[in-house]
Structures are given as C-alpha cells and as structure tokens.
C-alpha cells in the first residue's frame, strides 16, 4: 500500500514540475514577445494558458484522489495540501503571463523604447517559479528561503522601472505616455508573478515544517494592531 502511495506522490511531483515548466516558458515567451514585438508568439502564450489550466485540474484531481483513498497524515498530508495551494498560484502565474501577452496585442508599444530591466525581471521571476517547485520536490528549505528573499530584488526592479518610466515621460515624452504606461503594467504583472512564486515557496515551508511564513506574518500584523 505504501509503495503505491509513494508512486502516486512521485507522479504528483512530476506533474508539478511540468506545470512549473509551462509557467516558466509562458513568462519568458510573453516578455520576449513584448520586448521584440512578436505578436504571433504573444498569441501562442495566450493559447498555452489553457494547458496550464488543464495541468492545474489534473493535479487537483490527483491530490483529491490521494486524500480520499489514502487518508494521509502528518507530513504526507502537508505535502498534498501544499500542492493544492501551489497549483492555485501557478495557475495565476499562467494568467498573468497571458495578460502580459495580451498587452502587446491590444496596445501600441512601438514608440516608447522598451525598458531593459523588464527582461531582467522576467528572468528573475521565471527562476523563482522553477526554484520554488524544485524546493517542493526536493523538500529543500534553503532553496525555498532563497526564493522568498529573491522577491525583494523583483520588487526593487519594479520600483526602478516604474520610476525610470515616470522620469522618461516627465522629460518631454508625453506623446509616448500610453506606451510607457503599458510597460509599467507589464512590470506590475511580473511583480505579481514574483509574489505568487513567493507564495509557492511559503507552502513548501509548510510542507516541510508545518509552519506557514505568510500566515505568521498576517498574525504578527494583526497582533501589532491590537
């Protein structure tokens, strides 16, 4: 019975890796489409979001099957519960990559020069997604913590790009204001992707230790407000 359960857990990990890879590809392709004006590639990202949605459904089905048939306890239960939370964040990452691609198809980004840090943000967030999933598979607390810390750099890049674009408009490039604002929207979606990757890493922490960093942070804030 335990051997069968372990095989199903291995299958769960493989499916999570696959879903993480789909998210990483979507982030990279969507940002590349924006920076290089590849409209066809943007359409591919939007269509690929359906595959990410299907991966979420498949993993959810497997998790529920494990919960109902195996009735896991302790760490096994935490691993399955964490996976259910993680796929919600990964599905949202897919949505936001699709939103980035949609900007290229609905906006006019030809006038304003693309900010180079957008590509840096995309690489950083894609890496966060990959490493957060790998941390779950390996039950690697140090890697999960690394992802959480990486979010600070993504936030810093977002603020840097936002200020640079504001300064760009203020220097007499008002006619390109709409295009510049669209670039800010791209970076905002990337910043949110970083937040979701951090959420995944926090659920990894829960699967390993039973503690959830995000839940503790909320508790601390509420206590401070008393």
């Amino acid at each position: 019975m335990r051997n069968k359960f372990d095989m199903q857990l291995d299958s769960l990990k493989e499916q999570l890796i696959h879903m993480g890879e789909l998210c990483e590809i979507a982030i990279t392709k969507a940002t590349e489409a924006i920076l290089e004006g590849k409209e066809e590639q943007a359409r591919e990202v939007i269509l690929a979001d359906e595959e990410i949605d299907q991966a979420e459904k498949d993993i959810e089905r497997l998790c529920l099957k494990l919960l109902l048939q195996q009735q896991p306890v302790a760490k096994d239960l935490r691993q399955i519960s964490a996976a259910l939370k993680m796929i919600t964040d990964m599905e949202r990452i897919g949505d936001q990559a699709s939103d980035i691609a949609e900007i290229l198809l609905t906006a006019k980004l030809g006038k304003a020069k693309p900010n180079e840090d957008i590509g840096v943000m995309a690489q950083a967030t894609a890496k966060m997604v990959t490493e957060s999933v790998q941390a779950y598979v390996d039950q690697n607390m140090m890697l999960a913590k690394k992802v959480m810390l990486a979010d600070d750099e993504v936030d810093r890049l977002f603020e840097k790009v936002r200020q640079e674009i504001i300064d760009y408009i203020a220097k007499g490039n008002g006619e390109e204001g709409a295009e510049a604002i669209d670039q800010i929207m791209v970076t905002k979606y990337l910043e949110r992707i970083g937040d979701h990757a951090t959420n995944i890493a926090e659920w990894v922490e829960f699967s390993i230790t039973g503690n959830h960093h995000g839940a503790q942070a909320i508790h601390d804030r509420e206590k401070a407000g008393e």
Side-chain angles (χ1 to χ4, degrees), residues 105-140:
L105 301 179
T106 58
K108 295 179 180 178
L109 295 171
K111 292 182 180 179
K113 181 181 178 182
N115 190 294
E116 293 179 358
D117 283 325
I118 291 176
V120 178
M121 282 187 75
Q123 291 177 353
T125 54
K127 185 178 181 181
M128 286 174 70
V129 174
T130 300
E131 291 188 340
S132 61
V133 175
Q134 194 61 51
Y136 173 86
V137 171
D138 296 339
Q139 291 291 277
N140 186 331

Side-chain angles (χ1 to χ4, degrees), residues 22 25-27 29-30 33-34 38-53 94-106:
L22 292 175
I25 291 169
I27 296 165
K29 282 192 170 183
I34 286 285
K38 297 180 178 179
E39 292 191 5
E40 187 56 39
Q41 185 163 303
R43 293 187 182 92
E44 290 173 6
V45 172
I46 293 169
L47 290 174
D49 187 40
E50 296 179 7
E51 189 174 357
I52 294 175
D53 291 344
D95 287 345
Q96 283 154 2
S98 180
D99 289 337
I100 290 172
E102 190 71 38
I103 288 174
L104 176 60
L105 301 179
T106 58

Side-chain angles (χ1 to χ4, degrees), residues 5 30 40-41 48 55 70 88 94 107 116 120 124 129 134 144 159 180 196 199 201 212 224:
F5 182 63
E40 187 56 39
Q41 185 163 303
Q70 305 294 343
T88 299
E116 293 179 358
V120 178
V129 174
Q134 194 61 51
E159 292 299 334
H196 284 296
N199 288 345
H212 187 261

Side-chain angles (χ1 to χ4, degrees), residues 13 17 24 39 44 51 61 63 81 116 120 175 189 209 226:
K13 292 174 182 178
I17 290 172
E24 180 185 2
E39 292 191 5
E44 290 173 6
E51 189 174 357
R61 190 178 301 113
C63 287
S81 300
E116 293 179 358
V120 178
E175 72 280 1
Y189 284 129
T209 67
E226 291 178 353

Side-chain angles (χ1 to χ4, degrees), residues 140-153:
N140 186 331
M141 191 66 231
M142 289 183 65
L143 187 56
K145 290 290 188 183
K146 178 185 174 184
V147 173
M148 295 179 204
L149 291 172
D151 191 45
D152 291 338
E153 176 62 14

Side-chain angles (χ1 to χ4, degrees), residues 5 9 12 16 59-60 62-68 70-87 136 206-207:
F5 182 63
L9 281 180
L12 172 60
L16 282 168
I59 294 171
E60 182 179 45
L62 176 56
C63 287
L64 294 176
K65 180 180 178 181
L66 287 168
L67 289 172
L68 292 172
Q70 305 294 343
Q71 298 182 345
V73 296
K75 187 174 182 179
D76 291 335
L77 178 59
R78 293 201 306 270
Q79 284 195 38
I80 297 167
S81 300
L84 281 168
K85 295 292 187 178
M86 289 164 61
I87 58 174
Y136 173 86
F206 169 77
S207 74

